[in-house]
Amino acid sequence: MRRELKLKKSVLSIAVLLIVVIIIAAGAGRFLVVDEPPRQSDVIVVLSGDKGERTVKGVELFQKHFAPYLLFSGGIVYNHVTMAELMGKHAEGLGIPKDAILLEDKADSTYENATFTLDIMKKKGLTSAIVVSSNYHMKRVKFLFEREFKNSGITLTYVAATDEYFAPSKWWSNNKSIMITINEYIKFAGYLFGKNA
């Protein structure tokens, strides 16, 4: 009788644990997404690291008059060519005037995006920004930007660009989305346990 009771309790515990794991796993993609309504700001900061959706989202926000400047952040990708420069050219091709484009061309990580963007904003006296990145990247972006901009007096709003491969509610639906999700959690853990990871 005792053995049967123990076995039933064990099976029940395993079933409950399995249900909890499934619920957590199902929400793993949605947890990564931060997407706030855009607010009037001094600048739209667009981070590098995608195939152009982030730039398009930044341009869309600029064209809706949410800010008078676009600041592209991204370091060297080949020889002396920077992602910031490529993103700026893409924006120009979409109709953005050159004098509305600012470039931060040193960042090689999300941490550096935050640090170097903060320096530029302070130098230019900009006190608010809309930060744009891919939807799957936004939780990590917000974590790092909030940490680096703490006590700066600068107001930040986070707006996500949709990535065609990442499905927040069904992150397991394709290989690319699975890899994006796992990669984000690994990188996020790195930032949690190491300042400049």
Side-chain angles (χ1 to χ4, degrees), residues 11-25:
V11 169
L12 183 61
S13 296
I14 291 168
V16 168
L17 181 63
L18 190 58
I19 290 168
V20 168
V21 168
I22 289 168
I23 290 168
I24 290 170

Side-chain angles (χ1 to χ4, degrees), residues 84-129:
E85 180 185 351
L86 294 174
M87 294 162 77
K89 296 282 185 205
H90 184 186
E92 283 182 59
L94 294 172
I96 303 302
K98 196 170 186 168
D99 61 356
I101 295 172
L102 306 171
L103 303 178
E104 182 291 295
D105 58 5
K106 295 184 183 86
D108 288 324
S109 67
T110 308
Y111 165 75
E112 289 184 351
N113 288 136
T115 303
F116 299 150
T117 296
L118 175 59
D119 291 343
I120 290 172
M121 288 187 68
K122 281 181 175 176
K123 283 176 189 163
K124 296 203 170 287
L126 304 171
T127 60
S128 58

Side-chain angles (χ1 to χ4, degrees), residues 69-90:
Y69 296 104
L70 275 163
L71 188 143
F72 295 104
S73 177
I76 293 174
V77 287
Y78 177 76
N79 205 2
H80 298 291
V81 179
T82 69
M83 273 308 297
E85 180 185 351
L86 294 174
M87 294 162 77
K89 296 282 185 205
H90 184 186

